[in-house]
Amino acid sequence: MFIKPDYNLKSIYDINLEELKNSGINAMLFDLDSTLMASKSGVYSKEVLEWLDKVRKDFFIAVVSNNKNPEYIEKVKKVSDFPLLFNAAKPETKAVTAFLKHHGVDVAKSVLVGDRPLTDVLCGKKLGCKTILVDSITADSEKKIVRFVRALERITVKR
Ligand SMILES: [Mg+2]
């Protein structure tokens, strides 16, 4: 099985917001761990928060995360002032679809941004929205074994 994201980028900062806007996109859904913050850290960097503030001027923004750890969820809720969906069960679409409906988001005008082809990008494909694959936000400091597993998963990504 091959998965082809609409964009395959180094990081969220490489997302061309103007181009998305011009193509009719008005909502950006973000994976959380390794996409917006270091995995399981529960903390956004200042740079990420500043970037998100810029994004939300033109787009509805939300997090769709598979994480279901109650303590972690509480921690993230305290530092996020935009809608969050946890236990999203990506690549399944049921929970994400209900979440989007609840927030009045048109999936056809949305983009899903994440670091995992087989969960994030696949979920976006099944939803029928645009997809952006990014490298882990902490890619440069990850252990070799983690990088290796990521590289293996990316064999499924068609360039
Ligand atoms: Mg992730």
Side-chain angles (χ1 to χ4, degrees), residues 1-6 8 116-126 131 133 151-159:
M1 180 176 62
F2 284 101
I3 299 166
K4 189 169 171 33
D6 293 288
N8 190 343
R116 300 287 302 272
L118 297 179
T119 50
D120 304 317
V121 179
L122 189 54
C123 181
K125 292 280 172 196
K126 287 163 79 174
T131 53
L133 179 67
L152 274 187
E153 186 173 333
R154 267 153 210 270
I155 289 170
T156 61
V157 176
K158 207 170 177 179
R159 295 228 171 221

PDB file of all heavy atoms in Angstrom, residues 1-6 8 116-126 131 133 151-159:
ATOM      1  N   MET A   1       0.835  -1.200   0.000  1.00  0.00           N
ATOM      2  CA  MET A   1       0.000   0.000   0.000  1.00  0.00           C
ATOM      3  C   MET A   1       0.875   1.256   0.000  1.00  0.00           C
ATOM      4  O   MET A   1       1.777   1.382   0.801  1.00  0.00           O
ATOM      5  CB  MET A   1      -0.882   0.011   1.259  1.00  0.00           C
ATOM      6  CG  MET A   1      -1.772   1.229   1.332  1.00  0.00           C
ATOM      7  SD  MET A   1      -2.889   1.170   2.743  1.00  0.00           S
ATOM      8  CE  MET A   1      -1.732   1.138   4.119  1.00  0.00           C
ATOM      9  N   PHE A   2       0.582   2.154  -0.929  1.00  0.00           N
ATOM     10  CA  PHE A   2       1.321   3.405  -0.968  1.00  0.00           C
ATOM     11  C   PHE A   2       0.414   4.574  -0.613  1.00  0.00           C
ATOM     12  O   PHE A   2      -0.750   4.607  -0.969  1.00  0.00           O
ATOM     13  CB  PHE A   2       1.928   3.626  -2.355  1.00  0.00           C
ATOM     14  CG  PHE A   2       3.120   2.770  -2.589  1.00  0.00           C
ATOM     15  CD1 PHE A   2       3.021   1.617  -3.353  1.00  0.00           C
ATOM     16  CD2 PHE A   2       4.344   3.106  -2.022  1.00  0.00           C
ATOM     17  CE1 PHE A   2       4.139   0.806  -3.551  1.00  0.00           C
ATOM     18  CE2 PHE A   2       5.457   2.308  -2.212  1.00  0.00           C
ATOM     19  CZ  PHE A   2       5.359   1.143  -2.979  1.00  0.00           C
ATOM     20  N   ILE A   3       0.991   5.502   0.119  1.00  0.00           N
ATOM     21  CA  ILE A   3       0.235   6.668   0.553  1.00  0.00           C
ATOM     22  C   ILE A   3       0.924   7.910   0.018  1.00  0.00           C
ATOM     23  O   ILE A   3       2.132   8.067   0.196  1.00  0.00           O
ATOM     24  CB  ILE A   3       0.204   6.725   2.105  1.00  0.00           C
ATOM     25  CG1 ILE A   3      -0.492   5.480   2.652  1.00  0.00           C
ATOM     26  CG2 ILE A   3      -0.484   7.996   2.584  1.00  0.00           C
ATOM     27  CD1 ILE A   3      -0.270   5.283   4.125  1.00  0.00           C
ATOM     28  N   LYS A   4       0.155   8.763  -0.617  1.00  0.00           N
ATOM     29  CA  LYS A   4       0.761   9.976  -1.138  1.00  0.00           C
ATOM     30  C   LYS A   4       0.140  11.215  -0.505  1.00  0.00           C
ATOM     31  O   LYS A   4      -0.986  11.587  -0.821  1.00  0.00           O
ATOM     32  CB  LYS A   4       0.602  10.025  -2.668  1.00  0.00           C
ATOM     33  CG  LYS A   4       1.403  11.158  -3.286  1.00  0.00           C
ATOM     34  CD  LYS A   4       1.459  11.035  -4.789  1.00  0.00           C
ATOM     35  CE  LYS A   4       2.071  12.254  -5.458  1.00  0.00           C
ATOM     36  NZ  LYS A   4       3.114  12.936  -4.705  1.00  0.00           N
ATOM     37  N   PRO A   5       0.882  11.830   0.420  1.00  0.00           N
ATOM     38  CA  PRO A   5       0.355  13.071   1.004  1.00  0.00           C
ATOM     39  C   PRO A   5       0.372  14.179  -0.055  1.00  0.00           C
ATOM     40  O   PRO A   5       1.157  14.119  -1.005  1.00  0.00           O
ATOM     41  CB  PRO A   5       1.342  13.383   2.137  1.00  0.00           C
ATOM     42  CG  PRO A   5       2.587  12.652   1.794  1.00  0.00           C
ATOM     43  CD  PRO A   5       2.209  11.481   0.943  1.00  0.00           C
ATOM     44  N   ASP A   6      -0.483  15.165   0.110  1.00  0.00           N
ATOM     45  CA  ASP A   6      -0.486  16.279  -0.840  1.00  0.00           C
ATOM     46  C   ASP A   6       0.814  17.064  -0.747  1.00  0.00           C
ATOM     47  O   ASP A   6       1.321  17.581  -1.738  1.00  0.00           O
ATOM     48  CB  ASP A   6      -1.680  17.197  -0.582  1.00  0.00           C
ATOM     49  CG  ASP A   6      -2.988  16.504  -0.898  1.00  0.00           C
ATOM     50  OD1 ASP A   6      -3.262  16.306  -2.092  1.00  0.00           O
ATOM     51  OD2 ASP A   6      -3.715  16.125   0.039  1.00  0.00           O
ATOM     52  N   ASN A   8       4.733  16.887   1.340  1.00  0.00           N
ATOM     53  CA  ASN A   8       5.661  16.157   2.209  1.00  0.00           C
ATOM     54  C   ASN A   8       6.750  17.159   2.594  1.00  0.00           C
ATOM     55  O   ASN A   8       7.601  17.508   1.780  1.00  0.00           O
ATOM     56  CB  ASN A   8       6.238  14.979   1.413  1.00  0.00           C
ATOM     57  CG  ASN A   8       7.009  14.026   2.289  1.00  0.00           C
ATOM     58  OD1 ASN A   8       7.389  14.354   3.414  1.00  0.00           O
ATOM     59  ND2 ASN A   8       7.267  12.835   1.782  1.00  0.00           N
ATOM     60  N   ARG A 116       2.857  10.955  10.877  1.00  0.00           N
ATOM     61  CA  ARG A 116       2.781   9.508  10.638  1.00  0.00           C
ATOM     62  C   ARG A 116       1.946   9.178   9.399  1.00  0.00           C
ATOM     63  O   ARG A 116       0.748   9.432   9.374  1.00  0.00           O
ATOM     64  CB  ARG A 116       2.138   8.819  11.849  1.00  0.00           C
ATOM     65  CG  ARG A 116       2.878   9.009  13.174  1.00  0.00           C
ATOM     66  CD  ARG A 116       4.167   8.211  13.234  1.00  0.00           C
ATOM     67  NE  ARG A 116       3.982   6.787  13.048  1.00  0.00           N
ATOM     68  CZ  ARG A 116       3.723   5.929  14.048  1.00  0.00           C
ATOM     69  NH1 ARG A 116       3.612   6.334  15.284  1.00  0.00           N
ATOM     70  NH2 ARG A 116       3.583   4.641  13.791  1.00  0.00           N
ATOM     71  N   PRO A 117       2.584   8.565   8.413  1.00  0.00           N
ATOM     72  CA  PRO A 117       1.843   8.190   7.199  1.00  0.00           C
ATOM     73  C   PRO A 117       0.663   7.264   7.485  1.00  0.00           C
ATOM     74  O   PRO A 117      -0.429   7.471   6.971  1.00  0.00           O
ATOM     75  CB  PRO A 117       2.895   7.476   6.343  1.00  0.00           C
ATOM     76  CG  PRO A 117       4.213   7.924   6.870  1.00  0.00           C
ATOM     77  CD  PRO A 117       4.025   8.240   8.319  1.00  0.00           C
ATOM     78  N   LEU A 118       0.891   6.244   8.290  1.00  0.00           N
ATOM     79  CA  LEU A 118      -0.126   5.196   8.458  1.00  0.00           C
ATOM     80  C   LEU A 118      -1.242   5.558   9.433  1.00  0.00           C
ATOM     81  O   LEU A 118      -2.236   4.839   9.534  1.00  0.00           O
ATOM     82  CB  LEU A 118       0.532   3.876   8.894  1.00  0.00           C
ATOM     83  CG  LEU A 118       1.499   3.275   7.877  1.00  0.00           C
ATOM     84  CD1 LEU A 118       2.116   1.981   8.410  1.00  0.00           C
ATOM     85  CD2 LEU A 118       0.809   3.005   6.547  1.00  0.00           C
ATOM     86  N   THR A 119      -1.081   6.643  10.147  1.00  0.00           N
ATOM     87  CA  THR A 119      -2.189   7.099  10.996  1.00  0.00           C
ATOM     88  C   THR A 119      -2.714   8.429  10.470  1.00  0.00           C
ATOM     89  O   THR A 119      -3.847   8.516  10.028  1.00  0.00           O
ATOM     90  CB  THR A 119      -1.759   7.236  12.477  1.00  0.00           C
ATOM     91  OG1 THR A 119      -0.562   7.989  12.550  1.00  0.00           O
ATOM     92  CG2 THR A 119      -1.533   5.885  13.102  1.00  0.00           C
ATOM     93  N   ASP A 120      -1.862   9.457  10.469  1.00  0.00           N
ATOM     94  CA  ASP A 120      -2.316  10.807  10.098  1.00  0.00           C
ATOM     95  C   ASP A 120      -2.707  10.935   8.625  1.00  0.00           C
ATOM     96  O   ASP A 120      -3.818  11.347   8.299  1.00  0.00           O
ATOM     97  CB  ASP A 120      -1.225  11.834  10.430  1.00  0.00           C
ATOM     98  CG  ASP A 120      -0.832  11.768  11.898  1.00  0.00           C
ATOM     99  OD1 ASP A 120      -1.737  11.652  12.740  1.00  0.00           O
ATOM    100  OD2 ASP A 120       0.376  11.836  12.194  1.00  0.00           O
ATOM    101  N   VAL A 121      -1.781  10.600   7.755  1.00  0.00           N
ATOM    102  CA  VAL A 121      -2.046  10.798   6.329  1.00  0.00           C
ATOM    103  C   VAL A 121      -3.163   9.859   5.862  1.00  0.00           C
ATOM    104  O   VAL A 121      -4.071  10.267   5.139  1.00  0.00           O
ATOM    105  CB  VAL A 121      -0.769  10.612   5.473  1.00  0.00           C
ATOM    106  CG1 VAL A 121      -1.091  10.789   3.993  1.00  0.00           C
ATOM    107  CG2 VAL A 121       0.299  11.612   5.895  1.00  0.00           C
ATOM    108  N   LEU A 122      -3.116   8.625   6.315  1.00  0.00           N
ATOM    109  CA  LEU A 122      -4.154   7.670   5.925  1.00  0.00           C
ATOM    110  C   LEU A 122      -5.530   8.145   6.395  1.00  0.00           C
ATOM    111  O   LEU A 122      -6.518   8.053   5.665  1.00  0.00           O
ATOM    112  CB  LEU A 122      -3.827   6.282   6.493  1.00  0.00           C
ATOM    113  CG  LEU A 122      -4.693   5.125   6.011  1.00  0.00           C
ATOM    114  CD1 LEU A 122      -4.714   5.032   4.488  1.00  0.00           C
ATOM    115  CD2 LEU A 122      -4.205   3.805   6.602  1.00  0.00           C
ATOM    116  N   CYS A 123      -5.589   8.660   7.610  1.00  0.00           N
ATOM    117  CA  CYS A 123      -6.850   9.185   8.140  1.00  0.00           C
ATOM    118  C   CYS A 123      -7.360  10.315   7.246  1.00  0.00           C
ATOM    119  O   CYS A 123      -8.541  10.342   6.879  1.00  0.00           O
ATOM    120  CB  CYS A 123      -6.646   9.689   9.565  1.00  0.00           C
ATOM    121  SG  CYS A 123      -8.150  10.334  10.311  1.00  0.00           S
ATOM    122  N   GLY A 124      -6.481  11.229   6.880  1.00  0.00           N
ATOM    123  CA  GLY A 124      -6.865  12.342   6.017  1.00  0.00           C
ATOM    124  C   GLY A 124      -7.380  11.860   4.674  1.00  0.00           C
ATOM    125  O   GLY A 124      -8.373  12.364   4.148  1.00  0.00           O
ATOM    126  N   LYS A 125      -6.715  10.849   4.141  1.00  0.00           N
ATOM    127  CA  LYS A 125      -7.141  10.278   2.847  1.00  0.00           C
ATOM    128  C   LYS A 125      -8.549   9.703   2.972  1.00  0.00           C
ATOM    129  O   LYS A 125      -9.382   9.895   2.093  1.00  0.00           O
ATOM    130  CB  LYS A 125      -6.186   9.158   2.425  1.00  0.00           C
ATOM    131  CG  LYS A 125      -4.796   9.636   2.068  1.00  0.00           C
ATOM    132  CD  LYS A 125      -4.790  10.201   0.666  1.00  0.00           C
ATOM    133  CE  LYS A 125      -3.460  10.864   0.389  1.00  0.00           C
ATOM    134  NZ  LYS A 125      -3.536  11.736  -0.780  1.00  0.00           N
ATOM    135  N   LYS A 126      -8.778   8.971   4.063  1.00  0.00           N
ATOM    136  CA  LYS A 126     -10.088   8.349   4.250  1.00  0.00           C
ATOM    137  C   LYS A 126     -11.180   9.405   4.478  1.00  0.00           C
ATOM    138  O   LYS A 126     -12.319   9.244   4.067  1.00  0.00           O
ATOM    139  CB  LYS A 126     -10.040   7.370   5.436  1.00  0.00           C
ATOM    140  CG  LYS A 126      -9.276   6.093   5.098  1.00  0.00           C
ATOM    141  CD  LYS A 126      -8.873   5.321   6.331  1.00  0.00           C
ATOM    142  CE  LYS A 126     -10.008   4.519   6.904  1.00  0.00           C
ATOM    143  NZ  LYS A 126      -9.546   3.656   8.026  1.00  0.00           N
ATOM    144  N   THR A 131      -3.789  16.450   2.800  1.00  0.00           N
ATOM    145  CA  THR A 131      -2.898  15.912   3.830  1.00  0.00           C
ATOM    146  C   THR A 131      -1.495  16.490   3.692  1.00  0.00           C
ATOM    147  O   THR A 131      -0.998  16.700   2.579  1.00  0.00           O
ATOM    148  CB  THR A 131      -2.803  14.373   3.723  1.00  0.00           C
ATOM    149  OG1 THR A 131      -2.438  14.033   2.383  1.00  0.00           O
ATOM    150  CG2 THR A 131      -4.119  13.703   4.068  1.00  0.00           C
ATOM    151  N   LEU A 133       2.330  15.719   5.301  1.00  0.00           N
ATOM    152  CA  LEU A 133       3.216  14.914   6.133  1.00  0.00           C
ATOM    153  C   LEU A 133       4.420  15.769   6.503  1.00  0.00           C
ATOM    154  O   LEU A 133       5.026  16.401   5.630  1.00  0.00           O
ATOM    155  CB  LEU A 133       3.673  13.665   5.372  1.00  0.00           C
ATOM    156  CG  LEU A 133       4.627  12.718   6.085  1.00  0.00           C
ATOM    157  CD1 LEU A 133       3.952  12.043   7.285  1.00  0.00           C
ATOM    158  CD2 LEU A 133       5.157  11.643   5.126  1.00  0.00           C
ATOM    159  N   ALA A 151      11.812   5.814   9.352  1.00  0.00           N
ATOM    160  CA  ALA A 151      12.241   5.603   7.965  1.00  0.00           C
ATOM    161  C   ALA A 151      11.515   4.390   7.375  1.00  0.00           C
ATOM    162  O   ALA A 151      11.083   4.413   6.222  1.00  0.00           O
ATOM    163  CB  ALA A 151      13.752   5.395   7.923  1.00  0.00           C
ATOM    164  N   LEU A 152      11.364   3.342   8.169  1.00  0.00           N
ATOM    165  CA  LEU A 152      10.653   2.141   7.702  1.00  0.00           C
ATOM    166  C   LEU A 152       9.218   2.476   7.329  1.00  0.00           C
ATOM    167  O   LEU A 152       8.725   2.067   6.279  1.00  0.00           O
ATOM    168  CB  LEU A 152      10.631   1.081   8.814  1.00  0.00           C
ATOM    169  CG  LEU A 152      11.808   0.143   8.922  1.00  0.00           C
ATOM    170  CD1 LEU A 152      11.494  -0.921   9.977  1.00  0.00           C
ATOM    171  CD2 LEU A 152      12.117  -0.529   7.594  1.00  0.00           C
ATOM    172  N   GLU A 153       8.548   3.231   8.191  1.00  0.00           N
ATOM    173  CA  GLU A 153       7.144   3.557   7.919  1.00  0.00           C
ATOM    174  C   GLU A 153       7.037   4.385   6.645  1.00  0.00           C
ATOM    175  O   GLU A 153       6.080   4.295   5.905  1.00  0.00           O
ATOM    176  CB  GLU A 153       6.511   4.283   9.103  1.00  0.00           C
ATOM    177  CG  GLU A 153       5.019   4.493   8.880  1.00  0.00           C
ATOM    178  CD  GLU A 153       4.302   5.064  10.089  1.00  0.00           C
ATOM    179  OE1 GLU A 153       4.750   4.849  11.244  1.00  0.00           O
ATOM    180  OE2 GLU A 153       3.296   5.751   9.886  1.00  0.00           O
ATOM    181  N   ARG A 154       8.051   5.213   6.406  1.00  0.00           N
ATOM    182  CA  ARG A 154       7.995   6.102   5.253  1.00  0.00           C
ATOM    183  C   ARG A 154       8.206   5.377   3.919  1.00  0.00           C
ATOM    184  O   ARG A 154       8.059   5.952   2.854  1.00  0.00           O
ATOM    185  CB  ARG A 154       8.993   7.246   5.420  1.00  0.00           C
ATOM    186  CG  ARG A 154       8.300   8.417   6.064  1.00  0.00           C
ATOM    187  CD  ARG A 154       9.248   9.285   6.849  1.00  0.00           C
ATOM    188  NE  ARG A 154       8.556   9.907   7.957  1.00  0.00           N
ATOM    189  CZ  ARG A 154       7.942  11.088   7.882  1.00  0.00           C
ATOM    190  NH1 ARG A 154       7.998  11.786   6.806  1.00  0.00           N
ATOM    191  NH2 ARG A 154       7.292  11.564   8.915  1.00  0.00           N
ATOM    192  N   ILE A 155       8.537   4.067   4.008  1.00  0.00           N
ATOM    193  CA  ILE A 155       8.618   3.275   2.789  1.00  0.00           C
ATOM    194  C   ILE A 155       7.252   3.269   2.097  1.00  0.00           C
ATOM    195  O   ILE A 155       7.131   3.148   0.896  1.00  0.00           O
ATOM    196  CB  ILE A 155       9.090   1.829   3.112  1.00  0.00           C
ATOM    197  CG1 ILE A 155      10.570   1.878   3.509  1.00  0.00           C
ATOM    198  CG2 ILE A 155       8.891   0.898   1.930  1.00  0.00           C
ATOM    199  CD1 ILE A 155      11.112   0.594   4.078  1.00  0.00           C
ATOM    200  N   THR A 156       6.191   3.468   2.880  1.00  0.00           N
ATOM    201  CA  THR A 156       4.831   3.453   2.330  1.00  0.00           C
ATOM    202  C   THR A 156       4.482   4.772   1.626  1.00  0.00           C
ATOM    203  O   THR A 156       3.444   4.872   1.000  1.00  0.00           O
ATOM    204  CB  THR A 156       3.787   3.236   3.439  1.00  0.00           C
ATOM    205  OG1 THR A 156       3.857   4.304   4.386  1.00  0.00           O
ATOM    206  CG2 THR A 156       4.002   1.914   4.146  1.00  0.00           C
ATOM    207  N   VAL A 157       5.357   5.755   1.766  1.00  0.00           N
ATOM    208  CA  VAL A 157       5.020   7.078   1.212  1.00  0.00           C
ATOM    209  C   VAL A 157       5.540   7.217  -0.217  1.00  0.00           C
ATOM    210  O   VAL A 157       6.719   7.014  -0.482  1.00  0.00           O
ATOM    211  CB  VAL A 157       5.610   8.218   2.078  1.00  0.00           C
ATOM    212  CG1 VAL A 157       5.338   9.565   1.430  1.00  0.00           C
ATOM    213  CG2 VAL A 157       5.026   8.154   3.469  1.00  0.00           C
ATOM    214  N   LYS A 158       4.624   7.547  -1.085  1.00  0.00           N
ATOM    215  CA  LYS A 158       4.973   7.730  -2.495  1.00  0.00           C
ATOM    216  C   LYS A 158       5.356   9.191  -2.702  1.00  0.00           C
ATOM    217  O   LYS A 158       4.621  10.078  -2.336  1.00  0.00           O
ATOM    218  CB  LYS A 158       3.727   7.393  -3.325  1.00  0.00           C
ATOM    219  CG  LYS A 158       4.029   6.907  -4.695  1.00  0.00           C
ATOM    220  CD  LYS A 158       2.747   6.385  -5.311  1.00  0.00           C
ATOM    221  CE  LYS A 158       2.992   5.957  -6.739  1.00  0.00           C
ATOM    222  NZ  LYS A 158       1.772   5.436  -7.327  1.00  0.00           N
ATOM    223  N   ARG A 159       6.489   9.406  -3.267  1.00  0.00           N
ATOM    224  CA  ARG A 159       6.939  10.804  -3.479  1.00  0.00           C
ATOM    225  C   ARG A 159       6.413  11.344  -4.790  1.00  0.00           C
ATOM    226  O   ARG A 159       6.187  10.607  -5.705  1.00  0.00           O
ATOM    227  CB  ARG A 159       8.449  10.849  -3.479  1.00  0.00           C
ATOM    228  CG  ARG A 159       8.964  10.453  -2.111  1.00  0.00           C
ATOM    229  CD  ARG A 159      10.001  11.430  -1.613  1.00  0.00           C
ATOM    230  NE  ARG A 159      10.311  11.147  -0.214  1.00  0.00           N
ATOM    231  CZ  ARG A 159      10.480  12.078   0.693  1.00  0.00           C
ATOM    232  NH1 ARG A 159      10.337  13.338   0.377  1.00  0.00           N
ATOM    233  NH2 ARG A 159      10.785  11.767   1.932  1.00  0.00           N
TER     234      ARG A 159
END
